[in-house]
Amino acid sequence: MEKNNNKPKLRFPGFTDPWEQRELNECIETSNEKNSDNVYTKEDVLSVSGDFGIVNQIELQGRSFAGASVSNYGVVNTGNIVYTKSPLKRNPFGIIKTNKGKSGIVSTLYAVYKPKENTNPNFVQCYFESDYRLNKYLKPLVNKGAKNDMKVSDDNALLGLVIFPSYEEQTEISAFLEILDNLITLHQRKLNHLQDKKKSLLQKMFPKNGEDFPELRFPGFTDPWERRKVGELLIERNTQAPKSDEYPLMAFVAYEGVAPKGDRYNREFLVSDEDNKKYKQTEYGDFIYSSNNLTTGSIGLNKYGKASISPVYSIFQPTELADSDFIGRVLVRKSFINQMIRWRQGVIYGQWRIHESDFVKMEAQAPSVVEQKQIGDFFNNLDGLIILHQRKLNHLQEQKKALLQQMFV
């Protein structure tokens, strides 16, 4: 179906009528109910979050930021629509959410609306989460900066045009998208739980500063961790050769490691003799760092495989005393990076270097190779689980984005 006939591409069975263009004030109206009798207290103040919806401010932020008096705060009942009048850059029309929880109050920074009989409040939220935030007819809600935006009255903000279907179709659409949102929230919570679990385990499975034993260990390991020179654990790999099919030219991307060169990292056009230019060769499991970008994550393992990378990187391979995956964990810990930074030397303005000869003199704590391997394998498996949940979450979010484009006019 064509969009210009006010019919979306994707619809539920039984709905064929075109959507109708209306002024927003035909669908919702301003709620002027205030907390003048102080029925609600500071503990009942609500906040509007793009990620969490309308939630209690104390539960969301740990405390209430309400003023001395809340008698002029607007009352929000279940089914009311709340609009943030000070929008963020990523929310050009502010954040618009429907209250699905218990009643409360919001500050005068928010506008509160009630749905009319022909409008499902949940659909209003879905509508503004779709591409309609860029609709040229909705000029009264356009972000002109907080000060200008505050001058738009609650009533005048409703003068924009919208295109809505029947109440029944609104209900079908919003109910479906709510199920999808709940599924997204569930996967987000699972992902957050795994990430928090990993963070906690990284603290417990490595000794704290000044200690020789971690709080948590695998059964059978009781010996103290030993302080070793990095040179006992790693040895420099400094093989240089032109790029080849076996060793393709790659980038070393912060927090990602060895990865294909994108336009951002591709500087081959600056090389006059590209075919003969020599690059450093790296193998799977190598430890790589750029001393100029340590604090931004340009440090870690090669999890890709054979590759050629820029000579500005320092590359090391593990010795028989080290497990690659373990080393990839212990040498990116904040305490070790802080130690590395203390060894930095200025080369030219704005550039720093940690000489390889200095790097191998630094110390790191490590257990036996057998225990190192168990730790490395454990966190590899945990990372795999986190990646799996992240991919599922990304898929659901992309699916919702595609549906929002097809289910609205």
Side-chain angles (χ1 to χ4, degrees), residues 326-343:
F326 172 83
I327 292 300
R329 308 285 175 184
V330 76
L331 298 189
V332 297
R333 293 175 66 80
K334 186 176 180 180
S335 57
F336 186 81
I337 291 179
N338 288 339
Q339 181 187 169
M340 289 183 73
I341 291 173
R342 289 197 294 269
W343 285 77

Side-chain angles (χ1 to χ4, degrees), residues 10-205:
L10 186 63
R11 304 184 80 172
F12 288 98
F15 297 105
T16 57
D17 293 337
W19 291 22
E20 296 181 9
Q21 181 173 285
R22 311 170 192 169
E23 281 193 357
L24 189 53
N25 60 18
E26 296 177 52
C27 306
I28 59 178
E29 60 185 350
T30 303
S31 172
N32 294 313
E33 186 178 357
K34 300 295 182 182
N35 187 37
S36 54
D37 294 332
N38 288 312
V39 173
Y40 297 96
T41 68
K42 292 182 181 181
E43 294 184 353
D44 300 309
V45 175
L46 304 174
S47 283
V48 181
S49 162
D51 295 325
F52 303 104
I54 299 176
V55 293
N56 183 279
Q57 191 175 84
I58 296 176
E59 294 176 1
L60 179 67
Q61 298 171 307
R63 68 186 184 93
S64 174
F65 294 90
S69 172
V70 293
S71 60
N72 65 334
Y73 278 34
V75 175
V76 181
N77 294 304
T78 301
N80 283 169
I81 299 152
V82 181
Y83 163 52
T84 308
K85 293 194 291 185
S86 297
L88 307 172
K89 288 183 179 179
R90 65 187 179 94
N91 297 99
F93 299 106
I95 302 172
I96 298 174
K97 294 292 182 182
T98 301
N99 184 29
K100 300 173 185 178
K102 58 184 180 181
S103 299
I105 50 177
V106 291
S107 78
T108 54
L109 295 175
Y110 298 100
V112 183
Y113 299 108
K114 297 184 295 185
K116 293 189 174 181
E117 290 185 359
N118 62 346
T119 304
N120 185 306
N122 296 329
F123 178 81
V124 177
Q125 177 179 321
C126 297
Y127 185 91
F128 282 96
E129 286 181 348
S130 72
D131 288 340
Y132 290 95
R133 293 184 299 176
L134 305 179
N135 190 317
K136 63 181 180 180
Y137 298 114
L138 292 173
K139 290 180 180 178
L141 294 176
V142 171
N143 178 11
K144 298 177 182 177
K147 291 183 178 178
N148 288 335
D149 194 74
M150 294 290 285
K151 295 177 182 177
V152 178
S153 71
D154 296 354
D155 290 335
N156 288 341
L158 301 181
L159 297 179
L161 298 176
V162 293
I163 305 175
F164 278 14
S166 66
Y167 180 86
E168 291 73 21
E169 190 170 1
Q170 291 177 37
T171 302
E172 287 273 12
I173 292 171
S174 56
F176 171 78
L177 291 175
E178 184 173 14
I179 293 173
L180 187 56
D181 279 338
N182 290 338
L183 194 58
I184 289 173
T185 300
L186 178 64
H187 280 281
Q188 183 67 68
R189 286 174 179 167
K190 287 182 178 179
L191 179 62
N192 292 343
H193 172 72
L194 285 171
Q195 290 171 333
D196 289 342
K197 184 177 180 181
K198 177 184 173 182
K199 182 178 179 181
S200 174
L201 289 170
L202 282 171
Q203 293 175 341
K204 294 179 179 180
M205 295 178 70

Side-chain angles (χ1 to χ4, degrees), residues 239-252 258-259 261 277-283 302 304-311 313 315:
T239 305
Q240 298 193 35
K243 66 178 182 179
S244 63
D245 291 339
E246 184 180 9
Y247 289 87
L249 184 59
M250 308 288 279
F252 191 74
V258 176
K261 274 184 172 289
K277 177 177 171 60
K278 291 186 177 181
Y279 297 92
K280 283 189 176 180
Q281 291 183 341
T282 174
E283 306 282 345
N302 173 0
Y304 174 83
K306 295 179 184 293
S308 298
I309 62 174
S310 169
Y313 292 100
I315 303 175

Side-chain angles (χ1 to χ4, degrees), residues 38 125 228 242 254 284 303:
N38 288 312
Q125 177 179 321
R228 294 184 178 275
Y284 184 91
K303 305 291 283 187

